Amino acid sequence: MAARVAGAGVLPDTLTYELYLPGRRGSLQAEKMGSGRWLELLAYQLQPTLESMVRGVAAGNPMIVL
């Protein structure tokens, strides 16, 4: 959903192949960051504070919280 909000024309099923690790029954942070690059989106880590998240949302940026 965050990728679509950021303007990437991708469906969730497409990302499953890129992100999901069957052996771990999930995905790792590295795969999540890498998928942003695959979609030509920039993913970056914010300070782990509520204030930085609120500022990002207020600026219209999609957020993913791990």
Side-chain angles (χ1 to χ4, degrees), residues 1 3 5-6 9 12 15 18-22 28-29 35 41 44-46 48 53 57 59-60 62 64-66:
M1 289 189 316
V5 169
L15 291 178
E18 293 292 322
L19 294 172
Y20 187 73
L21 301 172
L28 302 175
Q29 187 172 351
S35 68
L41 299 172
Y44 56 93
Q45 193 170 359
L46 298 175
M53 190 170 132
V57 170
I64 298 173
V65 180
L66 303 176

Side-chain angles (χ1 to χ4, degrees), residues 21-64:
L21 301 172
R24 294 205 180 243
R25 296 186 205 150
S27 59
L28 302 175
Q29 187 172 351
E31 279 79 18
K32 291 179 184 179
M33 296 292 281
S35 68
R37 287 188 294 274
W38 178 69
L39 295 168
E40 298 181 8
L41 299 172
L42 177 62
Y44 56 93
Q45 193 170 359
L46 298 175
Q47 292 294 321
T49 64
L50 179 60
E51 180 183 345
S52 65
M53 190 170 132
V54 168
R55 269 189 270 127
V57 170
N61 298 316
M63 310 293 261
I64 298 173

